[in-house]
Amino acid sequence: MHDTICAISTPIGEAGIGIVRISGGESLKIAKRIFRSKNKLTSHRLIYGKIIDPDSNCIIDEALLCYMKAPKTYTREDVVEINLHSGFAVLSEVLSLVLKEGARLAEPGEFTKRAFLKGRIDLVQAEAVEKIISSKTTLAREISTQQLQGELSLKIRKIRENLLSILSLIEASLDFEEELDRERLFKDIFSIKKELKGFLEGYRTGKFLSNSCIGVIIGRPNVGKSSILNALIGTDRAIVTPIPGTTRDLVSEVINIKGIPLKITDTAGLCDAIDLIEKEGIKRAYKAIENADIVIYVLDGTGIITKDDIAIFEKIKNKSIIFTVNKSDLPKRIDIEVLKKYKKPIVFVSAKRKEVSLLLDEIEKALFSSYDEAHIITSIRHKEAMERSLEHLDRAISSKEDEVVSIELRDSIDAISEILGENITNEDILDRIFSTFCVGK
Ligand code: GDP
């Protein structure tokens, strides 16, 4: 039996309403001690009344209280939610009262953890709750909502079921020495592998949805990096100046590319700098490139491609680069032949005229290259478990002995079950997952 937990479930600050939430066996008893109303506390009904300090009989606030009797609740325990006026004093005083009456402060995500431990939702759904809360765009929210509704869990269960039926055939053949139709079984394993690979591909876009994608704008001084960032965000946040080398710091903005948050950074110009501050900026620019998912390499269309540029291309050619030739409103001088060998997209833009739609198109292509709504995962935990499952399947396929095939299949199934949270016995893993949640959820 779990103890009773409580937390403030809304952000701390002045607002119309703030909620104190309680879950556990003592919830109703605590509510009865601190809540006075003319009406009876009926389950799943919002009741108007007052929160009273039972020791002093002082009224703390008017409240709407909802008592929800187990098991039809979020945690499958008795839950009480108290709607108060949202002010720091009100919420913390009511929380203190609840604590004094015997509840303890909830850990981050502990309400959801209880929902999981009581079997109301699986781990994939529990994680979706946090993802819905942290969604920055509608697309990210939509994918998380589908996940909470159990759509991803269903697909994962199906993979596990298919693996289990393959395993049962192999085990039957081991037990009864029946002839095994290896070819047929391996064909089935191949199709499961394909499904898993589809999810791993989907993670490329999925991780952008949950963590945002990192883009950097680089190029030599004065090619128009800040202007491009401005054109992209449509504001004047970055300092635009005709003096080379004035973007000494990194300026970041988040733009929404069809539902993917793209955090885009304007870096210092890359050149052989004498100035110390500038050197520091360049060091940071390289660091930013290292961490970037997309590199927007800006060139001045009225200039030439220098040895410095080529040296940088060579250094970063494994990255996802978009060669962006700026100042297309002016007569062109640049020869882009040398760029072609890198097999990266090349676009012509004019930051000055705010004509950057070709660049936006390429960014979109890069972000959505692996997008397949049926195979989208947004969690690194799911990705790693699927990778492990795949490795075991590969080993199963390459093995000549049925015993080994059976062991590898079992391990592969275990990795899949782990995604759903069904065979996680290690509390640390659960704690790590739920610690990323907010308190009160
Ligand atoms: P950065 O040093 O690479 O960040 O370059 P800036 O954005 O500060 O721009 C350098 C200079 O080029 C400024 O005078 C801008 O007004 C100018 N510039 C930027 N983009 C364009 C463009 O598309 N066309 C023209 N004609 N000038 C531009």
Side-chain angles (χ1 to χ4, degrees), residues 10-23:
T10 42
I12 303 288
E14 292 172 18
I17 290 166
I19 296 176
V20 170
R21 196 185 213 185
I22 315 168
S23 177

Side-chain angles (χ1 to χ4, degrees), residues 12 24 31 36-37 47 54-55 93 121 130 145 160 177 196 224 249 258 279 343 374 407:
I12 303 288
R36 301 278 180 277
S37 174
I47 309 289
D55 292 339
E93 280 175 51
I121 48 177
E130 196 271 330
T145 305
R160 191 178 55 180
E177 292 178 4
L196 287 173
D249 216 330
K258 283 208 166 164
K279 257 192 181 159
K343 306 228 178 324
I407 292 168

Side-chain angles (χ1 to χ4, degrees), residues 251-268:
V251 181
S252 289
E253 283 292 349
V254 178
I255 53 176
N256 181 343
I257 307 280
K258 283 208 166 164
I260 292 186
L262 171 69
K263 183 174 183 232
I264 197 156
T265 303
D266 173 16
T267 66

Side-chain angles (χ1 to χ4, degrees), residues 62-295:
E62 289 187 13
L64 280 171
L65 184 143
C66 187
Y67 157 60
M68 289 167 273
K69 188 172 162 50
K72 285 193 174 167
T73 67
Y74 186 62
T75 54
R76 283 202 172 158
E77 302 173 333
D78 280 357
V79 170
V80 166
E81 286 180 5
I82 313 171
N83 292 257
L84 301 146
H85 294 110
S86 181
F88 179 72
V90 176
L91 290 172
S92 50
E93 280 175 51
V94 175
L95 186 71
S96 303
L97 274 187
V98 175
L99 290 169
K100 211 164 86 188
E101 293 302 323
R104 76 160 164 80
L105 210 54
E107 304 282 336
E110 198 170 358
F111 291 89
T112 309
K113 185 177 176 187
R114 288 187 174 194
F116 162 68
L117 291 173
K118 293 270 164 68
R120 197 180 81 79
I121 48 177
D122 63 36
L123 201 50
V124 171
Q125 291 171 300
E127 286 165 315
V129 171
E130 196 271 330
K131 292 217 182 284
I132 289 177
I133 293 171
S134 62
S135 288
K136 304 279 185 297
T137 67
T138 301
L139 183 64
R141 196 274 307 147
E142 278 170 4
I143 301 235
S144 307
T145 305
Q146 286 168 11
Q147 192 174 322
L148 178 61
Q149 295 310 306
E151 290 183 28
L152 178 59
S153 307
L154 203 71
K155 288 175 194 159
I156 292 169
R157 279 177 213 284
K158 186 95 198 122
I159 292 174
R160 191 178 55 180
E161 266 168 39
N162 291 342
L163 284 171
L164 277 168
S165 41
I166 298 171
L167 179 67
S168 62
L169 286 175
I170 293 176
E171 303 222 315
S173 90
L174 282 172
D175 289 347
F176 307 112
E177 292 178 4
E178 276 172 24
E179 193 56 44
L180 199 63
D181 183 353
R182 279 185 155 243
E183 203 174 309
R184 154 94 214 284
L185 281 187
F186 282 7
K187 216 170 120 202
D188 289 347
I189 296 182
F190 271 116
S191 75
I192 295 170
K193 274 183 62 180
K194 198 169 153 220
E195 178 88 0
L196 287 173
K197 280 183 179 161
F199 278 114
L200 294 181
E201 269 288 295
Y203 179 70
R204 275 178 45 211
T205 301
K207 81 165 181 222
F208 296 153
L209 277 171
S210 62
N211 301 334
S212 83
C213 172
I214 312 270
V216 289
I217 307 183
I218 60 163
R220 281 183 290 114
N222 233 20
V223 291
K225 295 181 296 298
S226 310
S227 311
I228 285 182
L229 179 62
N230 281 342
L232 287 174
I233 58 179
T235 71
D236 281 322
R237 176 129 158 25
I239 317 147
V240 182
T241 157
I243 308 157
T246 42
T247 316
R248 288 200 167 133
D249 216 330
L250 304 179
V251 181
S252 289
E253 283 292 349
V254 178
I255 53 176
N256 181 343
I257 307 280
K258 283 208 166 164
I260 292 186
L262 171 69
K263 183 174 183 232
I264 197 156
T265 303
D266 173 16
T267 66
L270 290 163
C271 71
D272 263 355
I274 306 151
D275 182 334
L276 261 183
I277 310 171
E278 185 68 2
K279 257 192 181 159
E280 187 50 38
I282 289 165
K283 235 165 99 186
R284 276 200 251 169
Y286 269 117
K287 187 110 201 97
I289 296 169
E290 235 176 73
N291 299 325
D293 301 298
I294 293 181
V295 178

